[in-house]
Amino acid sequence: MIYLKTPEDIEKMRAACMLVSRTLGEIAKWVTPGVTTHKIDSIAREFISDNGGRAACLGYGGFPGAVCCEVNEVVVHGFPSNYSLREGDIIGTDVVVELDGFHGDMCYTFPVGEITDEVYNLCRTTKESLYVGIEACKEGHRLGDISNAIQTYCEKRGYSVVREMCGHGIGKKMHESPEVPNYGRRGTGPIIRNGMCLAIEPMINLGSKNIIIEKDGWTCRTRDRKPSAHYEHTIAVIDGKAEILTSFEPVYEVIQDRFI
Ligand code: MF3
Ligand code: CO
């Protein structure tokens, strides 16, 4: 069942998305060599609760953090830990906030200090593919059009698309119908309607598309241990096209010269 949102619902989605965007801006201040992913998690936790929200990942299916910490080969769902970030790492921080009964979900992959051109290009392409997917999200078109746009953009540039993990509908629940895969065929899948809210989140690998889930039951990493990048926005379909409810602006205000 796909829940279409009313304009009132979308106003609440907007507020949740603004809070999660500001949370990513706080995280951006801490992404630097020597900082542990635990520290990043606690900064986000505090910021979200200080602003009246709930860190929705915390306790979700037993997940132990407010922030999924995706260092280098981790694709998604990494636990915050005592790992200290190192120069040359990348870290995806994926955060979900619930505010006033609605959820905002987003992810940004940060460079830690200087990173190689190869990894920089992976991140840039992944982020660009997110916007290409969003562009393909139009009323009356199909979900598969979004999926295909992302897949085509990334594969043309030599990267591979993780199959097992998808974007999703979002609203009163973090994960709602439909699934939004990052690969697929045009003209397939559910028809896109005004009022749909979706979390679109390409997860793109430098090497092969294969992943494994670690023994902790959560941490998803590339099988070949090559890096993976992940960017995510929450969007709403309004007046026929996707409006991005989350924003990377608070991140850009912080990272400036390290802009990917
Ligand atoms: N954006 C992630 C997802 O949609 C957030 C997961 S939170 C967790 O899967 F608690 F499940 F880790
Ligand atoms: Co998500």
Side-chain angles (χ1 to χ4, degrees), residues 56-68 70 76-79 94-96 105-107 165-170 174-175 199 201 203 218 230 232:
C57 291
L58 191 59
Y60 183 88
F63 191 80
V67 182
C68 297
E70 307 159 353
V76 281
H77 301 163
F79 293 174
D94 187 350
V95 186
V96 187
D105 185 356
M106 73 186 297
C107 179
M165 303 291 173
C166 295
H168 48 91
I170 181 165
M174 181 197 303
H175 292 138
E201 47 178 325
M203 288 154 261
W218 279 98
H230 180 199
E232 175 176 21

XYZ file of all heavy atoms in Angstrom, residues 56-68 70 76-79 94-96 105-107 165-170 174-175 199 201 203 218 230 232, ligand 1:
293
model
N 15.458 8.190 14.571
C 14.608 7.033 14.268
C 15.395 5.741 14.047
O 14.828 4.647 14.182
C 13.739 7.338 13.051
N 16.684 5.832 13.706
C 17.464 4.597 13.515
C 17.732 3.906 14.840
O 17.832 2.679 14.901
C 18.799 4.898 12.826
S 18.600 5.393 11.109
N 17.878 4.719 15.888
C 18.244 4.191 17.201
C 17.171 3.211 17.693
O 16.022 3.594 17.905
C 18.391 5.357 18.181
C 19.016 5.055 19.537
C 20.414 4.478 19.394
C 19.056 6.334 20.378
N 17.568 1.949 17.804
C 16.637 0.921 18.262
C 15.777 0.318 17.160
O 15.043 -0.639 17.399
N 15.886 0.841 15.942
C 15.090 0.313 14.822
C 15.564 -1.103 14.482
O 16.700 -1.284 14.041
C 15.233 1.250 13.618
C 14.405 0.875 12.412
C 13.101 1.337 12.268
C 14.929 0.062 11.399
C 12.341 1.011 11.163
C 14.172 -0.270 10.289
C 12.879 0.197 10.173
O 12.131 -0.133 9.077
N 14.723 -2.088 14.731
C 15.121 -3.485 14.522
C 16.357 -3.851 15.335
O 17.081 -4.776 14.980
N 16.619 -3.056 16.390
C 17.793 -3.313 17.229
C 19.042 -2.569 16.791
O 20.118 -2.756 17.368
N 18.928 -1.665 15.804
C 20.119 -0.913 15.362
C 20.633 -0.065 16.527
O 19.862 0.610 17.201
C 19.799 -0.029 14.148
C 21.033 0.556 13.511
C 21.804 -0.208 12.652
C 21.449 1.852 13.810
C 22.969 0.310 12.091
C 22.604 2.376 13.251
C 23.365 1.602 12.393
N 21.980 -0.094 16.767
C 22.497 0.520 17.996
C 22.837 2.009 17.922
O 23.289 2.560 18.923
C 23.778 -0.291 18.255
C 24.245 -0.686 16.888
C 23.007 -0.859 16.055
N 22.641 2.672 16.797
C 23.039 4.080 16.716
C 21.960 4.967 16.124
O 20.933 4.486 15.628
N 22.227 6.288 16.194
C 21.354 7.260 15.531
C 21.810 7.471 14.091
O 21.053 7.937 13.248
C 21.406 8.596 16.267
N 23.085 7.144 13.841
C 23.699 7.388 12.532
C 24.262 6.075 12.007
O 25.000 5.385 12.723
C 24.861 8.402 12.661
C 25.476 8.706 11.299
C 24.399 9.684 13.338
N 23.925 5.724 10.772
C 24.610 4.617 10.108
C 25.929 5.182 9.602
O 25.941 6.196 8.892
C 23.799 4.093 8.940
S 22.204 3.408 9.423
N 29.223 4.659 7.461
C 29.616 3.831 6.315
C 31.025 4.225 5.876
O 31.202 5.111 5.043
C 28.609 4.050 5.190
C 27.149 3.843 5.644
C 26.105 4.516 4.751
O 26.477 5.282 3.831
O 24.910 4.282 4.982
N 26.123 0.261 3.585
C 25.089 0.823 4.469
C 25.096 0.106 5.815
O 25.665 -0.971 5.962
C 23.641 0.692 3.912
C 23.329 1.727 2.883
C 23.336 -0.702 3.424
N 24.403 0.755 6.800
C 24.063 0.116 8.083
C 25.273 -0.248 8.945
O 25.207 -1.214 9.713
C 23.173 -1.118 7.865
C 21.880 -0.810 7.159
N 21.098 -1.770 6.568
C 21.241 0.363 6.959
C 20.023 -1.216 6.028
N 20.095 0.092 6.252
N 26.368 0.529 8.813
C 27.507 0.318 9.714
C 27.192 0.869 11.100
O 26.505 1.888 11.236
N 27.695 0.198 12.136
C 27.483 0.667 13.515
C 28.464 1.779 13.839
O 29.628 1.705 13.438
C 27.751 -0.470 14.524
C 26.778 -1.619 14.485
C 27.021 -2.737 15.276
C 25.630 -1.589 13.699
C 26.143 -3.810 15.267
C 24.746 -2.665 13.690
C 25.008 -3.785 14.475
N 24.280 8.260 7.397
C 22.876 8.122 7.012
C 22.039 8.291 8.277
O 22.247 7.575 9.257
C 22.681 6.728 6.395
C 21.297 6.520 5.807
O 20.411 7.360 6.019
O 21.113 5.491 5.129
N 21.154 9.274 8.252
C 20.401 9.638 9.456
C 18.911 9.735 9.124
O 18.550 10.244 8.062
C 20.881 11.004 10.019
C 20.195 11.306 11.348
C 22.386 11.049 10.172
N 18.092 9.271 10.053
C 16.646 9.435 9.907
C 16.113 10.117 11.167
O 16.459 9.714 12.281
C 15.919 8.075 9.728
C 14.440 8.299 9.413
C 16.579 7.235 8.636
N 14.801 11.345 5.869
C 15.895 10.372 5.743
C 16.904 10.931 4.754
O 16.523 11.330 3.644
C 15.281 9.063 5.222
C 16.258 7.893 5.148
O 17.454 8.075 5.427
O 15.786 6.789 4.803
N 18.173 10.985 5.163
C 19.170 11.446 4.200
C 20.541 10.903 4.507
O 20.826 10.445 5.621
C 19.214 12.970 4.123
C 19.830 13.644 5.302
S 19.677 15.438 5.209
C 20.624 15.841 3.758
N 21.401 10.941 3.508
C 22.772 10.460 3.676
C 23.708 11.320 2.844
O 23.357 11.734 1.736
C 22.879 9.006 3.212
S 24.554 8.337 3.355
N 20.105 -3.498 -1.736
C 19.625 -2.392 -0.912
C 18.943 -1.360 -1.802
O 19.443 -1.068 -2.890
C 20.805 -1.735 -0.190
C 21.598 -2.701 0.658
S 20.612 -3.210 2.078
C 21.676 -4.466 2.772
N 17.833 -0.808 -1.313
C 17.001 0.066 -2.150
C 16.605 1.326 -1.401
O 16.606 1.356 -0.167
C 15.689 -0.633 -2.488
S 15.887 -2.080 -3.498
N 16.164 2.321 -2.152
C 15.417 3.423 -1.568
C 13.995 2.930 -1.266
O 13.673 1.762 -1.487
N 13.145 3.855 -0.803
C 11.853 3.410 -0.260
C 10.885 4.574 -0.108
O 11.304 5.729 -0.012
C 12.086 2.777 1.113
C 12.958 3.618 2.009
N 12.454 4.554 2.867
C 14.315 3.710 2.119
C 13.456 5.166 3.486
N 14.608 4.677 3.048
N 9.612 4.225 -0.012
C 8.630 5.204 0.414
C 8.907 5.592 1.857
O 9.554 4.844 2.601
N 8.445 6.787 2.238
C 8.703 7.283 3.602
C 7.558 8.187 4.019
O 6.927 8.840 3.164
C 10.076 8.001 3.650
C 10.387 8.512 5.061
C 10.159 9.146 2.622
C 11.840 8.894 5.261
N 9.420 4.988 8.643
C 10.695 5.203 7.955
C 10.697 4.492 6.608
O 11.172 5.025 5.615
C 11.823 4.664 8.846
C 13.199 4.843 8.270
S 14.455 3.791 9.050
C 14.359 4.220 10.748
N 10.201 3.269 6.626
C 10.169 2.473 5.396
C 8.723 2.169 5.037
O 8.029 1.478 5.766
C 10.941 1.158 5.578
C 12.408 1.357 5.741
N 13.161 0.667 6.655
C 13.272 2.167 5.101
C 14.427 1.054 6.566
N 14.522 1.974 5.636
N 12.361 8.140 -0.405
C 13.779 8.307 -0.091
C 14.535 7.654 -1.248
O 14.405 6.444 -1.460
C 14.118 7.644 1.232
N 18.130 6.779 -2.881
C 19.448 6.635 -2.269
C 20.375 5.689 -3.027
O 20.507 4.518 -2.663
C 19.321 6.201 -0.804
C 18.379 5.059 -0.506
C 18.384 4.697 0.987
O 19.432 4.780 1.631
O 17.320 4.320 1.504
N 23.430 3.601 -3.975
C 24.590 3.019 -3.287
C 25.448 2.409 -4.383
O 25.037 1.429 -5.022
C 24.117 1.943 -2.299
C 23.419 2.544 -1.091
S 22.258 1.404 -0.329
C 20.718 1.977 -1.008
N 24.004 -6.622 10.361
C 23.657 -5.303 9.820
C 24.663 -4.798 8.794
O 24.278 -4.429 7.685
C 23.607 -4.260 10.950
C 22.342 -4.256 11.735
C 22.124 -4.868 12.931
C 21.119 -3.601 11.390
N 20.852 -4.644 13.354
C 20.205 -3.858 12.433
C 20.699 -2.818 10.313
C 18.897 -3.361 12.424
C 19.402 -2.311 10.307
C 18.522 -2.589 11.349
N 27.349 6.680 -1.081
C 25.913 6.666 -0.800
C 25.441 8.095 -0.506
O 25.955 8.724 0.422
C 25.702 5.763 0.432
C 24.283 5.616 0.892
N 23.988 5.184 2.176
C 23.090 5.820 0.282
C 22.669 5.123 2.313
N 22.104 5.503 1.185
N 21.669 10.405 -0.270
C 20.222 10.180 -0.168
C 19.486 11.489 0.108
O 19.923 12.290 0.938
C 19.935 9.195 0.980
C 18.465 8.963 1.273
C 18.240 7.895 2.354
O 19.174 7.637 3.140
O 17.140 7.340 2.395
N 18.401 5.212 5.198
C 18.561 3.938 5.829
C 17.608 2.971 5.194
O 16.666 3.403 4.608
C 18.348 4.098 7.283
C 18.371 2.845 8.016
S 18.236 3.139 9.691
C 18.495 1.631 10.407
O 17.795 1.773 5.225
F 18.146 1.744 11.606
F 17.793 0.702 9.784
F 19.756 1.341 10.271
